[in-house]
Amino acid sequence: MTLTLIHTSDWHLGHELAGHPREAEHEAFLAWLLGQLDEQEADVLLVTGDIYDVANPPVSAMRRLYAFLAAASARRPGLLTVILGGNHDSAARINLPAPLLDEARVRFVGNLPRKVRPDGEGTMPDHAAMLIPLPGKTGEIAAWLAAVPFCRPGDLGAEPLQSLYAGVAAAGAERAGSLPLILSGHLHVAGGAVSELSERRIVVGGEEAQAASLFDPRAAYVALGHLHRAQDVAGPCPIRYAGSPFPLSATERDYAHSISVLRVSPGKFALGEVPIPRPVPFLAVPARGAAPLDAVVAELEALPADEGLPRERHPFLEVTVAVDGPEPHLQARVLAALDGKAVRLTRILRQVATAPDANEGPLAGADLGDLAPEAVFAALHGAKYGGNPPPDDLARAFAELLIEVNTLPAGEPA
Ligand SMILES: [Mn+2]
């Protein structure tokens, strides 16, 4: 009764970063994962949601998934692949090929299965339908998976998430008997780190985040998706986010991406991780923090020129410029410095030196009628640009505007 399960998540097939396609990276990851299925002697592959980046993914993304599933099945005939729906996925689209597939080899769980209530009044989550037997090395059932995908409010109805998980864990524990029970989910569990840009639609700050006490202590493992950093979550049982296969935004470039490998044998349970090779580097200029425009431009000009590397292998680049006033030519200078370089720009950040608190500024407590427009302009400029007054040409332009506004003929709209 031994079983090896590979847990991975948040592939976001079809993703683009600042308009740059990720197809070459997905291709490299899936080819590597195919090799890992053999190397780890995997019996189960579990993908915990956000298989696609958007609800209506491009044909190329769907073709890539189906080609991978066919290759995985051909390579390891005993393998069961389970794919859960995430918040980026369309449940209906994920479920679409299910009737064509051998349930013993590929299972899609796009949304929460529901059934008619015993009293015939409406429907309720079908806990039993979420339970999937997991084959071990010999083909016998070695564990059970309670496959809970991302739950939309409409999937849950009046039932809170807590009672859904309690119900499905109880049904799973009963069904599993002495065999291990694995739970899953695609949600934000408190204690997990959040990346700034990629997990959009998350409410950070507590509201949507769930406590780890959501999960039943009888679970041998809880396989989570949604957060892109691979990480353990403290709770009543082992809980882990597998994370995404590579950075989906600049904020994720320092993550150590991996797959989680779970090995279950009688009385033993081991959880390990295998780092995923990163096919495309992610650069930042400067490497940490921000630098003035001249220093940034010099560093960009020193980057290697394009030596015929295919564009989809060019490193991604994020640029952060320290500014203390308006820099009208900032973008043009950055783009000019990057001309002919083997990098793909994702974004240019402007970092302003910390502004003094507006409530403690020179205008604090002043009556609006007592203030000269020039003073308001100077104070706003200072608040926005690290306390610096507007440069002379800008102050002059503002004064000219002011004269123009004040000398408009009466009756014309200002
Ligand atoms: Mn997600």
Side-chain angles (χ1 to χ4, degrees):
M1 299 289 192
T2 64
L3 165 114
T4 302
L5 178 146
I6 292 183
H7 171 206
T8 165
S9 196
D10 295 81
W11 292 2
H12 288 263
L13 294 169
H15 183 253
E16 291 189 352
L17 178 58
H20 306 297
R22 316 299 300 272
E23 299 209 9
E25 291 155 274
H26 277 126
E27 201 59 52
F29 164 65
L30 293 177
W32 175 84
L33 183 58
L34 271 182
Q36 286 299 314
L37 294 176
D38 276 339
E39 200 161 308
Q40 306 297 332
E41 299 183 351
D43 306 300
V44 178
L45 174 65
L46 173 60
V47 190
T48 45
D50 285 355
I51 189 91
Y52 296 122
D53 189 53
V54 288
N56 191 4
V59 168
S60 58
M62 301 182 73
R63 187 191 297 129
R64 180 159 285 115
L65 175 63
Y66 297 157
F68 169 80
L69 292 173
S73 280
R75 195 184 269 234
R76 292 192 70 77
L79 180 78
L80 169 66
T81 299
V82 181
I83 295 181
L84 308 181
N87 58 313
H88 283 240
D89 298 309
S90 151
R93 190 169 296 269
I94 294 240
N95 290 341
L96 205 56
L100 301 174
L101 297 169
D102 177 354
E103 282 210 333
R105 302 181 81 173
V106 181
R107 293 283 289 258
F108 287 99
V109 185
N111 57 344
L112 212 54
R114 296 184 67 86
K115 63 176 185 185
V116 177
R117 285 187 182 282
D119 59 8
E121 299 285 315
T123 61
M124 60 185 282
D126 187 348
H127 299 147
M130 281 178 248
L131 303 178
I132 297 176
L134 301 181
K137 300 277 171 236
T138 57
E140 289 171 80
I141 298 172
W144 282 81
L145 171 68
V148 185
F150 174 69
C151 300
R152 291 182 168 77
D155 294 334
L156 286 168
E159 187 178 40
L161 201 57
Q162 286 77 0
S163 74
L164 170 77
Y165 267 96
V168 82
E174 190 183 329
R175 190 68 186 267
S178 61
L179 293 176
L181 172 69
I182 296 169
L183 289 176
S184 73
H186 186 96
L187 72 172
H188 181 197
V189 177
V194 180
S195 82
E196 183 192 326
L197 292 177
S198 275
E199 290 116 12
R200 48 190 187 252
R201 292 188 288 272
I202 275 181
V203 178
V204 185
E207 254 225 279
E208 222 182 272
Q210 298 291 326
S213 57
L214 185 65
F215 305 115
D216 194 298
R218 286 173 289 182
Y221 179 63
V222 181
L224 294 182
H226 195 44
L227 301 189
H228 293 170
R229 187 201 290 270
Q231 60 195 293
D232 296 324
V233 176
C237 51
I239 305 168
R240 185 164 173 82
Y241 282 99
S244 58
F246 47 77
L248 292 156
S249 82
T251 53
E252 298 170 18
R253 69 171 176 269
D254 293 334
Y255 290 6
H257 297 270
S258 63
I259 54 171
S260 301
V261 182
L262 179 67
R263 293 183 201 282
V264 179
S265 52
K268 269 173 74 181
F269 168 94
L271 183 60
E273 55 182 310
V274 182
I276 301 170
R278 192 176 287 192
V280 171
F282 212 123
L283 310 176
V285 169
R288 283 279 169 271
L293 183 56
D294 287 341
V296 164
V297 165
E299 197 174 332
L300 295 178
E301 284 171 344
L303 287 172
D306 183 359
E307 301 279 8
L309 190 71
R311 177 135 178 93
E312 69 261 25
R313 293 281 172 164
H314 287 187
F316 291 111
L317 170 69
E318 178 178 85
V319 172
T320 310
V321 183
V323 293
D324 56 6
E327 292 265 18
H329 306 298
L330 186 147
Q331 185 169 338
R333 287 192 62 195
V334 167
L335 293 180
L338 289 175
D339 193 35
K341 303 294 188 189
V343 291
R344 288 178 289 170
L345 183 66
T346 61
R347 61 174 178 171
I348 305 173
L349 293 172
R350 290 164 171 79
Q351 202 173 91
V352 179
T354 316
D357 190 335
N359 293 328
E360 291 168 9
L363 307 183
D367 192 292
L368 196 58
D370 298 337
L371 293 171
E374 294 90 339
V376 176
F377 180 63
L380 277 175
H381 190 281
K384 201 165 173 203
Y385 298 110
N388 295 326
D392 286 349
D393 51 347
L394 197 61
R396 212 162 29 241
F398 183 78
E400 281 167 21
L401 261 181
L402 204 58
I403 292 167
E404 240 175 82
V405 169
N406 286 336
T407 52
L408 279 178
E412 274 192 33

